[in-house]
Amino acid sequence: MDFSYSPRTQDLLGKLESFMDEYVYPAEQVFDAQIAANDNAHEQPQVMRDMQVKARELGLWNLFMTHDGLGAGLTNLEYAPLAEVVGRSIIGNEAINCSAPDTGNMEILAMYGTEKQRHQWLKPLLDCTIRSAFAMTEPAVASSDATNITSTIVRDGDEYVLNGRKWYTSGILDPDCKLIIFMGKSDPQAPTYRQQSMILVPRETPGIEVLRDLPMFGFRDRLGHGEVQFTDVRVPAENMLGAEGDGFAIAQGRLGPGRMHYAMRAIGMAERALDMMCQRSLERIAFGGPLADRGVVREWIARSRIEIDQIRLLVLKSAWLIDNYGNAAARSEVAAIKVAAMEVAHTVVDRAVQTYGAAGVSDDTVLARLHAITRALQIADGPNEVHLRTIARLELKKHK
């Protein structure tokens, strides 16, 4: 396995690191201030739109999209180190149009959308003239088991009728959101993994009601995580993604590369937290000397470096396997990085919080927000326990 960076990745890394230093990091506080000043807290701040224009000019756009002709055409292995760099900032991914849930939705449309669906929805998403949401998780059932989904997709002539309640539907409150990808049961009598379907729902369709915006550990994202009621929502039959019953398979196809993206971004968060921990420990004086002289702090720093480098290698291995042998060949590794990357990132961020003391739990630094994100993402996109179950099953299969 060769994890060396390609010439194109090295070139993009240089540009991306300069872009982050010159535009993204300085914009973080401006971004928050503009959100606070907006009448609608979910409206895109102007500073982000300005950064996106610059990113396009520099060729730092849609780097996640591996499908030739649609995005940058990078392999997963080529994109992985780039995802780490932008992951160092909470707003970095959005600045280059590589943020969830749009990335996963764009991949679904590229892989399963009809020509008409791609023209109507994928093109404007790639241009970032619209945004999208993904409606899968439900409050009434354990949605980590997708077979529990109770929302319904019922055929009625040339239309489908949708009913159900979703929550943590990320992106639904953004005024630029024009598309929802909705997952529900289209045939409860079909075999277990053929009961679900995914369908494209224009945001303005009657019957869609956002009940509330849900926080994550008290933080509210600009995109919004909505609890949404779908009541007799009618969409044309041609809006079905793939065929009826393809929903579970589409979900699995969406999640492989997406989990790799999450993991690399988590490494970026951990690297930033480690940088901050080192700086704080050198500058902060307690009990007659800098914190960096304390054995426990040095151990935190050393273990953080070891753990980050370990998980990076596992993520690069997963990306290499996906590129060379497909998602199925990397099932165990992809499950492993989703668990390990978030746990490592959360641990490193927690050490940084402890090093910062009171400032670490305040809004004066990014650490409290990173602490919440790295904890929440141990549940989102499949909880750790589901991935551990997959790894154990695959491991045991070798011995049967």
Side-chain angles (χ1 to χ4, degrees), residues 301-312:
I301 292 169
R303 289 192 179 280
S304 297
R305 171 48 58 212
I306 293 168
E307 292 157 1
I308 291 170
D309 287 352
Q310 286 176 329
I311 192 59
R312 180 185 290 109

Side-chain angles (χ1 to χ4, degrees), residues 313-359:
L313 286 171
L314 184 55
V315 175
L316 292 175
K317 176 188 177 185
S318 303
W320 185 91
L321 284 171
I322 292 173
D323 289 338
N324 287 276
Y325 298 102
N327 289 349
R331 281 191 68 196
S332 182
E333 287 78 7
V334 167
I337 62 175
K338 177 58 171 64
V339 175
M342 290 304 163
E343 288 184 346
V344 166
H346 190 65
T347 298
V348 175
V349 170
D350 194 64
R351 291 169 182 153
V353 168
Q354 196 72 6
T355 306
Y356 268 76

Side-chain angles (χ1 to χ4, degrees), residues 1 15 98 107 144 150 163 175 179 234 302 377:
M1 296 181 184
K15 292 180 179 178
C98 291
E107 285 175 333
S144 55
T150 60
N163 281 282
L179 172 68
R234 289 182 170 270
L377 287 177

Side-chain angles (χ1 to χ4, degrees), residues 37-49:
N38 281 343
D39 292 336
N40 182 350
H42 301 291
E43 184 180 345
Q44 184 70 275
Q46 185 59 43
V47 68
M48 177 59 72
R49 298 190 191 278

Side-chain angles (χ1 to χ4, degrees), residues 64-71 102-115 117-119 121-123 125-126 179 181 200 241-242 250 253-254:
F64 76 96
M65 182 61 81
T66 58
H67 302 274
D68 288 336
L70 293 176
D102 292 333
T103 47
N105 291 346
M106 285 188 267
E107 285 175 333
I108 284 178
L109 287 162
M111 295 167 65
Y112 303 101
T114 64
E115 187 70 27
Q117 289 169 350
R118 288 196 295 268
H119 177 77
W121 301 114
L122 178 56
K123 187 178 184 303
L125 281 169
L126 288 167
L179 172 68
I181 296 183
L200 304 173
L241 266 172
I250 293 173
R254 179 185 195 268

Side-chain angles (χ1 to χ4, degrees), residues 69-274:
L70 293 176
L74 299 171
T75 65
N76 287 289
L77 186 60
E78 287 178 316
Y79 175 61
L82 307 177
E84 176 183 336
V85 170
V86 292
R88 291 174 64 95
S89 173
I90 292 171
I91 64 174
N93 297 289
E94 195 170 5
I96 63 171
N97 204 34
C98 291
S99 58
D102 292 333
T103 47
N105 291 346
M106 285 188 267
E107 285 175 333
I108 284 178
L109 287 162
M111 295 167 65
Y112 303 101
T114 64
E115 187 70 27
K116 181 178 179 181
Q117 289 169 350
R118 288 196 295 268
H119 177 77
Q120 183 177 4
W121 301 114
L122 178 56
K123 187 178 184 303
L125 281 169
L126 288 167
D127 290 338
C128 202
T129 55
I130 67 169
R131 302 301 295 269
S132 62
F134 187 70
M136 175 180 171
T137 306
E138 299 179 4
V141 297
S143 304
S144 55
D145 178 358
T147 62
N148 283 339
I149 296 299
T150 60
S151 295
T152 58
I153 302 175
V154 179
R155 184 72 182 250
D156 183 18
D158 293 332
E159 296 179 318
Y160 283 100
V161 182
L162 283 50
N163 281 282
R165 180 169 294 192
K166 302 289 188 179
W167 73 344
Y168 283 95
T169 301
S170 302
I172 189 71
L173 286 106
D174 187 338
D176 293 331
C177 179
K178 303 300 179 187
L179 172 68
I180 304 165
I181 296 183
F182 179 95
M183 185 169 179
K185 282 192 176 179
S186 51
D187 185 359
Q189 306 308 315
T192 302
Y193 299 108
R194 295 292 304 170
Q195 296 179 3
Q196 302 86 8
S197 295
M198 286 192 191
I199 195 162
L200 304 173
V201 186
R203 174 65 179 87
E204 69 276 8
T205 307
I208 301 172
E209 181 186 5
V210 178
L211 302 176
R212 56 176 173 152
D213 177 25
L214 294 157
M216 290 196 303
F217 292 105
F219 292 101
R220 292 187 184 273
D221 285 345
R222 184 198 68 81
L223 290 172
H225 302 286
E227 181 170 358
V228 190
Q229 179 67 43
F230 293 80
T231 305
D232 294 332
V233 176
R234 289 182 170 270
V235 295
E238 63 182 17
N239 284 23
M240 180 65 67
L241 266 172
E244 277 193 34
D246 284 350
F248 194 89
I250 293 173
Q252 294 306 303
R254 179 185 195 268
L255 293 175
R259 285 171 180 152
M260 190 273 292
H261 301 169
Y262 270 129
M264 288 307 293
R265 290 197 290 264
I267 293 171
M269 296 176 197
E271 284 285 9
R272 186 169 186 186
L274 177 55

